[in-house]
Amino acid sequence: MPSPQPSARPANHRRRRGRRARIDRNLLDEVAGALYLPLACVIVLACATVLSAWAFHLTLAQIAIGLAGSMVVAGIVGGVRVHAVAASLQLSREADLHRVAEALQATEKSLIWAAEELCRGKRPPLPQEPVWEGGDPLNKVLELVSNLQVQGAASLLRVHDESQAAVLVTMHQTLTRRQHALIGEMLEHLTLLQNGTDDAVLLDRSFKIDHLATRLRRMVESVSVVLGGKSLRETRAPVPVATVLRGAKSETVKYARVQTAGGEVGAAFALPAHVHPDVTHLLAELIDNGLDNSDPDSKVVVRAQKVAHGLVFEVEDRALLIMDPAKRDRFNALLRAPGHAVIADQVRHGSLGLITAGKIAEKYGLKVWLALNPTGGTTANVVVPNHLLVPTTPVIGTISVSTEPPPPVREMAPAGAPGQPPPPGPRAVAPSPRPDANGVNPLPRRRREPRPMPEQGPSAPPPAANPQAGADWRSGLQAGLQPEQPPTQP
């Protein structure tokens, strides 16, 4: 039995019935042209047929033929117009689909670029959300695609910030600073232990522990550099280039195979306090790379030379196999632009040392590249620019020689007992008297003549004191202290 109550209808039923869809003006013109033009042709040809029949008294068969021809002409015109309208609609549809495809491709490229930037350790900015005006369905689709692009990039950033990997990176950055401080304190205690004992066995073992701690400190610093942290080692004074070379050698595993050649620039130049720890780390990474890929019985030579653009370090090894040129080019690209490399891929391929060297070089503007040497091995070149070099003072032995003249020193005459000559030594120089009002000096001036340096020879007993020389010295001194008598006029 049917229900007496009428079926329920939505509240907006009447409103939807009266709503008319908005039609595109261009589409309406195209459809109207395809309809009105054949109709106009039919009317015009029919009128022409009627007028011709009235004027020329045509028969019914002729009039029928004329009307049929009018219909054929109108159909041909309508078909041509409909084909043109269909082609125009097809082009418009293809243009709309092309715009949608471009928006989707832009969204895909934006998401891929954001993911790559996050893998490189950088944080990409969110894309701006465009504003589409008008109620065109195509604009609405493009607006949805743009929103999808923004939401996708925001989701990637959220996953990166709140994922376990991001937490681990932050934790490693914090732990590396603490580990570096503990290792530094351990090295200080080892130094005190080495200075406080003369036992050869204990010193040998402590030196081995010292070397292990130094290598561990370098590994901690490598992790900090790769994760984007700051330099953990800080000093307050420049360090000579020769000391930098020795420090890089001490941080390598097989330091006995490393031969350093600082030359004259090793003592003539130094690196600033904020630069030399990282340069030492960079050279140690390159030296270890040369030691791992060279003949175990050969040496790895590290040189330092002055060039026009600054100071160049050369780490030369003698490899058993020649490096593939494509591999060398890939390593040079990594050293030249480490920011474009994916850290995860470099860690998987075992290139942690090269990416560490590249990041240090990028930080200070150094140039690092690998080249094939005449022996078939590889030479790593590091150029430190001139503005990072500090000239040092010339050194003779262990005494620094200053280029400024020494200040004058006044010598005092030793006091001796009356009747005895003064002890041998430099004579006292009387102070220069001041002129009186007439411009006449009351006391004579004495000038000290330079004495030649005595020749080095076997030591001899000092000569005996000469009383006459002491008497003459006292007489001259008393005469100089007495005021001058004015000359008598004749």
Side-chain angles (χ1 to χ4, degrees):
M1 182 176 181
S3 174
Q5 297 180 356
S7 60
R9 294 183 178 181
N12 56 352
H13 175 69
R14 295 182 180 180
R15 186 172 57 187
R16 287 186 176 179
R17 178 182 296 177
R19 179 183 298 177
R20 297 181 59 185
R22 185 176 180 180
I23 303 175
D24 189 5
R25 186 67 180 177
N26 296 328
L27 180 60
L28 184 61
D29 293 342
E30 294 287 344
V31 175
L35 178 64
Y36 295 152
L37 186 59
L39 183 60
C41 289
V42 171
I43 295 173
V44 171
L45 291 176
C47 293
T49 302
V50 172
L51 290 177
S52 298
W54 177 75
F56 297 104
H57 303 283
L58 299 178
T59 61
L60 292 177
Q62 293 175 343
I63 293 174
I65 293 173
L67 292 176
S70 300
M71 295 298 295
V72 171
V73 173
I76 294 173
V77 172
V80 173
R81 185 58 184 170
V82 168
H83 182 74
V85 171
S88 176
L89 293 177
Q90 180 68 22
L91 292 177
S92 177
R93 177 172 174 270
E94 291 180 354
D96 294 342
L97 292 177
H98 183 67
R99 292 181 60 185
V100 174
E102 287 183 348
L104 291 175
Q105 290 177 359
T107 301
E108 181 183 6
K109 292 181 180 179
S110 176
L111 295 179
I112 293 175
W113 175 78
E116 291 179 351
E117 290 294 310
L118 291 175
C119 292
R120 296 189 186 102
K122 299 180 181 179
R123 186 180 180 84
L126 285 176
Q128 296 182 357
E129 187 174 354
V131 179
W132 300 94
E133 298 179 356
D136 189 5
L138 178 61
N139 291 338
K140 293 182 178 179
V141 172
L142 296 178
E143 184 178 0
L144 292 176
V145 173
S146 301
N147 293 334
L148 177 63
Q149 177 182 359
V150 176
Q151 295 298 329
S155 300
L156 287 177
L157 291 177
R158 181 181 178 184
V159 170
H160 177 267
D161 295 339
E162 299 181 5
S163 64
Q164 186 177 5
V167 176
L168 291 177
V169 169
T170 306
M171 182 181 67
H172 277 295
Q173 290 177 350
T174 305
L175 290 180
T176 49
R177 291 193 295 268
R178 297 181 180 179
Q179 291 172 358
H180 193 271
L182 293 176
I183 295 173
E185 187 176 356
M186 180 174 62
L187 289 174
E188 292 180 358
H189 286 291
L190 285 173
T191 303
L192 295 176
L193 178 63
Q194 294 165 5
N195 294 333
T197 182
D198 295 333
D199 190 355
V201 177
L202 184 59
L203 284 175
D204 180 67
R205 294 180 179 178
S206 63
F207 286 147
K208 290 180 180 179
I209 298 175
D210 191 305
H211 184 232
L212 292 174
T214 303
R215 289 167 50 193
L216 181 61
R217 181 181 61 182
R218 199 190 88 191
M219 292 180 183
V220 171
E221 292 174 351
S222 297
V223 174
S224 177
V225 171
V226 171
L227 294 180
K230 298 181 180 180
S231 178
L232 299 177
R233 210 184 316 179
E234 297 179 357
T235 56
R236 298 182 179 180
V239 172
V241 173
T243 306
V244 172
L245 294 178
R246 290 195 298 268
K249 176 181 178 180
S250 65
E251 294 184 2
T252 57
V253 180
K254 303 175 183 178
Y255 58 89
R257 291 176 50 200
V258 181
Q259 180 180 355
T260 59
E264 297 180 357
V265 298
F269 294 96
L271 297 181
H274 68 285
V275 175
H276 75 81
D278 288 338
V279 173
T280 303
H281 188 185
L282 185 150
L283 292 176
E285 295 290 350
L286 296 178
I287 293 172
D288 257 347
N289 188 33
L291 291 171
D292 294 338
N293 297 278
S294 61
D295 186 3
D297 297 331
S298 63
K299 295 284 187 180
V300 174
V301 183
V302 186
R303 303 185 186 90
Q305 297 178 1
K306 184 68 176 69
V307 293
H309 293 285
L311 186 67
V312 59
F313 294 97
E314 297 179 354
V315 181
E316 182 180 2
D317 60 39
R318 296 186 178 183
L320 296 176
L321 298 176
I322 299 178
M323 183 184 295
D324 185 14
K327 185 177 181 181
R328 186 186 303 111
D329 294 340
R330 186 171 67 254
F331 287 161
N332 285 331
L334 174 63
L335 292 171
R336 184 170 55 253
H340 296 285
V342 180
I343 298 177
D345 294 342
Q346 302 303 322
V347 172
R348 294 190 188 100
H349 290 87
S351 301
L352 183 61
L354 290 180
I355 195 171
T356 302
K359 285 185 173 291
I360 293 175
E362 185 182 31
K363 179 180 179 181
Y364 297 105
L366 312 180
K367 294 183 179 180
V368 184
W369 72 94
L370 305 178
L372 180 66
N373 55 38
T375 62
T378 303
T379 300
N381 301 274
V382 182
V383 177
V384 181
N386 287 317
H387 68 273
L388 294 179
L389 299 180
V390 179
T392 57
T393 306
V395 177
I396 300 177
T398 58
I399 302 175
S400 299
V401 178
S402 178
T403 56
E404 299 180 358
V409 180
R410 296 182 61 182
E411 299 180 356
M412 302 299 296
Q420 295 183 1
R427 297 187 177 182
V429 180
S432 300
R434 297 182 179 179
D436 54 4
N438 298 327
V440 180
N441 294 331
L443 296 177
R445 293 183 178 179
R446 292 190 179 185
R447 297 181 180 179
R448 183 178 181 182
E449 300 294 336
R451 298 181 180 179
M453 297 296 295
E455 298 181 356
Q456 298 292 336
S459 59
N466 188 0
Q468 184 63 32
D472 294 341
W473 178 80
R474 287 194 299 272
S475 300
L477 180 60
Q478 292 178 0
L481 294 176
Q482 293 179 358
E484 293 184 353
Q485 298 294 333
T488 57
Q489 296 182 0

